[in-house]
PDB file of all heavy atoms in Angstrom:
ATOM      1  N   MET M   1     -40.379 -37.291 -12.932  1.00 51.00           N
ATOM      2  CA  MET M   1     -39.005 -36.741 -12.623  1.00 51.00           C
ATOM      3  C   MET M   1     -39.066 -35.196 -13.117  1.00 51.00           C
ATOM      4  O   MET M   1     -38.571 -34.402 -12.330  1.00 51.00           O
ATOM      5  CB  MET M   1     -37.952 -37.560 -13.317  1.00 51.00           C
ATOM      6  CG  MET M   1     -36.558 -37.068 -13.021  1.00 51.00           C
ATOM      7  SD  MET M   1     -36.193 -37.618 -11.297  1.00 51.00           S
ATOM      8  CE  MET M   1     -34.453 -37.706 -11.364  1.00 51.00           C
ATOM      9  N   THR M   6     -39.559 -29.243 -12.182  1.00 47.00           N
ATOM     10  CA  THR M   6     -40.358 -28.090 -12.252  1.00 47.00           C
ATOM     11  C   THR M   6     -40.788 -27.496 -10.906  1.00 47.00           C
ATOM     12  O   THR M   6     -40.662 -26.172 -10.720  1.00 47.00           O
ATOM     13  CB  THR M   6     -41.628 -28.363 -13.086  1.00 47.00           C
ATOM     14  OG1 THR M   6     -41.206 -28.966 -14.365  1.00 47.00           O
ATOM     15  CG2 THR M   6     -42.411 -27.106 -13.385  1.00 47.00           C
ATOM     16  N   ASN M   7     -41.102 -28.392 -10.036  1.00 47.00           N
ATOM     17  CA  ASN M   7     -41.445 -27.973  -8.697  1.00 47.00           C
ATOM     18  C   ASN M   7     -40.234 -27.332  -7.895  1.00 47.00           C
ATOM     19  O   ASN M   7     -40.412 -26.310  -7.204  1.00 47.00           O
ATOM     20  CB  ASN M   7     -42.014 -29.154  -7.798  1.00 47.00           C
ATOM     21  CG  ASN M   7     -43.366 -29.565  -8.227  1.00 47.00           C
ATOM     22  OD1 ASN M   7     -44.150 -28.789  -8.915  1.00 47.00           O
ATOM     23  ND2 ASN M   7     -43.839 -30.814  -7.784  1.00 47.00           N
ATOM     24  N   GLN M   9     -37.620 -25.776  -9.478  1.00 46.00           N
ATOM     25  CA  GLN M   9     -37.434 -24.411 -10.102  1.00 46.00           C
ATOM     26  C   GLN M   9     -38.429 -23.491  -9.539  1.00 46.00           C
ATOM     27  O   GLN M   9     -38.110 -22.260  -9.272  1.00 46.00           O
ATOM     28  CB  GLN M   9     -37.551 -24.564 -11.505  1.00 46.00           C
ATOM     29  CG  GLN M   9     -36.314 -25.325 -12.163  1.00 46.00           C
ATOM     30  CD  GLN M   9     -36.491 -25.516 -13.685  1.00 46.00           C
ATOM     31  OE1 GLN M   9     -37.502 -25.411 -14.145  1.00 46.00           O
ATOM     32  NE2 GLN M   9     -35.378 -25.830 -14.341  1.00 46.00           N
ATOM     33  N   GLN M  20     -36.148 -11.084  -1.600  1.00 40.00           N
ATOM     34  CA  GLN M  20     -36.020  -9.680  -2.083  1.00 40.00           C
ATOM     35  C   GLN M  20     -36.026  -8.738  -0.855  1.00 40.00           C
ATOM     36  O   GLN M  20     -36.813  -8.936   0.077  1.00 40.00           O
ATOM     37  CB  GLN M  20     -36.999  -9.299  -3.072  1.00 40.00           C
ATOM     38  CG  GLN M  20     -36.827  -9.937  -4.424  1.00 40.00           C
ATOM     39  CD  GLN M  20     -38.032  -9.644  -5.402  1.00 40.00           C
ATOM     40  OE1 GLN M  20     -38.988  -8.990  -4.992  1.00 40.00           O
ATOM     41  NE2 GLN M  20     -37.820  -9.963  -6.635  1.00 40.00           N
ATOM     42  N   SER M  69     -45.697  21.235  -4.842  1.00 89.00           N
ATOM     43  CA  SER M  69     -45.066  22.260  -5.739  1.00 89.00           C
ATOM     44  C   SER M  69     -45.750  22.415  -7.112  1.00 89.00           C
ATOM     45  O   SER M  69     -45.599  23.374  -7.894  1.00 89.00           O
ATOM     46  CB  SER M  69     -43.528  21.935  -5.967  1.00 89.00           C
ATOM     47  OG  SER M  69     -43.417  20.846  -6.819  1.00 89.00           O
ATOM     48  N   GLU M  92     -50.591   2.953  10.731  1.00 95.00           N
ATOM     49  CA  GLU M  92     -49.244   2.617  10.580  1.00 95.00           C
ATOM     50  C   GLU M  92     -48.446   3.802  11.148  1.00 95.00           C
ATOM     51  O   GLU M  92     -48.496   4.884  10.527  1.00 95.00           O
ATOM     52  CB  GLU M  92     -48.808   2.280   9.179  1.00 95.00           C
ATOM     53  CG  GLU M  92     -47.306   2.044   8.934  1.00 95.00           C
ATOM     54  CD  GLU M  92     -46.834   0.920   9.737  1.00 95.00           C
ATOM     55  OE1 GLU M  92     -47.523  -0.150   9.759  1.00 95.00           O
ATOM     56  OE2 GLU M  92     -45.631   1.033  10.274  1.00 95.00           O
ATOM     57  N   THR M  94     -45.235   4.688  10.813  1.00 96.00           N
ATOM     58  CA  THR M  94     -44.383   5.206   9.862  1.00 96.00           C
ATOM     59  C   THR M  94     -45.048   6.225   8.944  1.00 96.00           C
ATOM     60  O   THR M  94     -44.499   7.164   8.557  1.00 96.00           O
ATOM     61  CB  THR M  94     -43.820   4.039   9.075  1.00 96.00           C
ATOM     62  OG1 THR M  94     -43.164   3.102   9.830  1.00 96.00           O
ATOM     63  CG2 THR M  94     -42.760   4.569   7.994  1.00 96.00           C
ATOM     64  N   LYS M 140     -44.159  11.418  17.779  1.00 92.00           N
ATOM     65  CA  LYS M 140     -44.062  12.564  18.681  1.00 92.00           C
ATOM     66  C   LYS M 140     -42.787  13.330  18.416  1.00 92.00           C
ATOM     67  O   LYS M 140     -42.845  14.609  18.338  1.00 92.00           O
ATOM     68  CB  LYS M 140     -44.089  12.181  20.183  1.00 92.00           C
ATOM     69  CG  LYS M 140     -45.314  11.745  20.791  1.00 92.00           C
ATOM     70  CD  LYS M 140     -45.209  11.350  22.243  1.00 92.00           C
ATOM     71  CE  LYS M 140     -46.232  10.806  22.757  1.00 92.00           C
ATOM     72  NZ  LYS M 140     -46.180  10.429  24.202  1.00 92.00           N
ATOM     73  N   LYS M 184     -54.599  17.170  29.367  1.00 72.00           N
ATOM     74  CA  LYS M 184     -55.532  16.121  29.186  1.00 72.00           C
ATOM     75  C   LYS M 184     -54.918  14.701  29.517  1.00 72.00           C
ATOM     76  O   LYS M 184     -55.497  13.798  30.032  1.00 72.00           O
ATOM     77  CB  LYS M 184     -56.122  15.971  27.867  1.00 72.00           C
ATOM     78  CG  LYS M 184     -57.240  17.154  27.701  1.00 72.00           C
ATOM     79  CD  LYS M 184     -57.779  16.961  26.254  1.00 72.00           C
ATOM     80  CE  LYS M 184     -58.902  17.912  25.925  1.00 72.00           C
ATOM     81  NZ  LYS M 184     -59.488  17.813  24.584  1.00 72.00           N
TER      82      LYS M 184
END
Side-chain angles (χ1 to χ4, degrees):
M1 187 76 155
T6 306
N7 286 342
Q9 288 174 345
Q20 289 177 347
S69 71
E92 178 61 41
T94 306
K140 283 181 190 181
K184 283 183 182 179

